[in-house]
Amino acid sequence: MNIILLGPPGAGKGTQARILVEGRGMVQLSTGDMLREAKDSGTEMGKVVADVMAKGELVTDEIVIGLIREKLEQGGGGFIFDGFPRTLTQADALADLMDEVGQSLDHVIAMEVNDDALVQRITARSTCGSCGEVYNDMTKPIPADNKCTNCGASDFKRRADDNEESLRTRLMEYYKKTSPLLGYYHAKGQLRWVPGLGEIDEVAGGIAAVLD
């Protein structure tokens, strides 16, 4: 089963993708991770990526599709597309690629959020600088002993752009880019909405209900 996870910054896409990877053996295809991996791989595609990034140029859609093609051809227990597609052109390119490799896109899951609640949640967010575990002043505070429950480190960070003004700007950009995708996948009958601001297990349950 192949899915796309859509949701604004901080909606919890990464957390939910990790749950699907661990629970269902799916493979998360994050554009950023794929580019970093390719750059250090030494493959022909990797050399192209490294050259583009070394010049400070933008990676083209063709390169990203090429990286996705490599992953699809390697196989796996189903793929989660995270951060791609972002535009209608990319959505068409992904659809063509899936046809070429004989696979299908089963669901596009949009995580529905309330912007005010999302801003409130993210401005209270911290991450472990060592392992990336996420904490929140309201729902999951940093432990009293100031040690990460996942790795034991004491290096906690807040993103500089996790403030209300920056977040609302990022949300506006997200909605401008994503709105056409919602219409595109709705027209194809693939779009599913899941409430995105509940507890992690509640959101995971909503996604599981779609997939099952």
Side-chain angles (χ1 to χ4, degrees):
M1 183 175 292
N2 303 308
I3 67 171
I4 294 172
L5 280 183
L6 292 176
K13 297 187 299 297
T15 297
Q16 295 302 325
R18 189 168 65 208
I19 290 171
L20 293 170
V21 168
E22 293 172 355
R24 295 175 181 254
M26 299 180 78
V27 178
Q28 182 181 5
L29 295 184
S30 165
T31 307
D33 290 345
M34 283 193 298
L35 290 171
R36 285 187 288 274
E37 180 184 322
K39 183 170 69 75
D40 300 327
S41 68
T43 65
E44 287 305 309
M45 181 64 75
K47 291 173 185 174
V48 172
V49 172
D51 185 53
V52 168
M53 294 176 80
K55 292 177 181 175
E57 298 173 353
L58 289 175
V59 176
T60 64
D61 290 352
E62 288 76 14
I63 290 175
V64 177
I65 284 290
L67 295 175
I68 292 174
R69 180 191 297 275
E70 288 183 351
K71 294 292 187 182
L72 292 177
E73 289 174 346
Q74 289 171 13
F79 294 91
I80 306 162
F81 295 98
D82 178 9
F84 190 92
R86 293 181 185 272
T87 65
L88 292 177
T89 300
Q90 291 175 351
D92 280 336
L94 180 60
D96 291 343
L97 173 61
M98 299 298 270
D99 284 342
E100 287 175 28
V101 299
Q103 295 205 42
S104 62
L105 182 64
D106 298 286
H107 298 294
V108 178
I109 298 175
M111 298 174 68
E112 192 171 15
V113 301
N114 173 285
D115 286 358
D116 290 337
L118 185 65
V119 168
Q120 186 178 25
R121 183 168 84 176
I122 296 180
T123 52
R125 184 171 67 176
S126 302
T127 57
C128 173
S130 178
C131 72
E133 186 74 9
V134 179
Y135 294 86
N136 187 283
D137 296 346
M138 297 176 291
T139 58
K140 185 184 174 183
I142 293 170
D145 62 2
N146 204 44
K147 293 185 182 298
C148 175
T149 53
N150 189 50
C151 72
S154 299
D155 177 25
F156 298 100
K157 302 179 183 295
R158 284 195 195 269
R159 278 179 50 164
D161 59 353
D162 276 356
N163 59 74
E164 181 165 352
E165 184 178 358
S166 294
L167 274 168
R168 291 197 182 276
T169 300
R170 284 158 58 197
L171 284 170
M172 184 61 67
E173 278 300 302
Y174 168 78
Y175 290 126
K176 281 196 293 190
K177 291 177 179 175
T178 308
S179 292
L181 288 178
L182 297 176
Y184 176 94
Y185 287 116
H186 175 74
K188 285 175 168 278
Q190 295 172 315
L191 186 67
R192 305 290 182 269
W193 289 95
V194 170
L197 281 184
E199 295 296 323
I200 291 173
D201 289 346
E202 292 173 355
V203 179
I207 292 174
V210 170
L211 301 187
D212 295 337

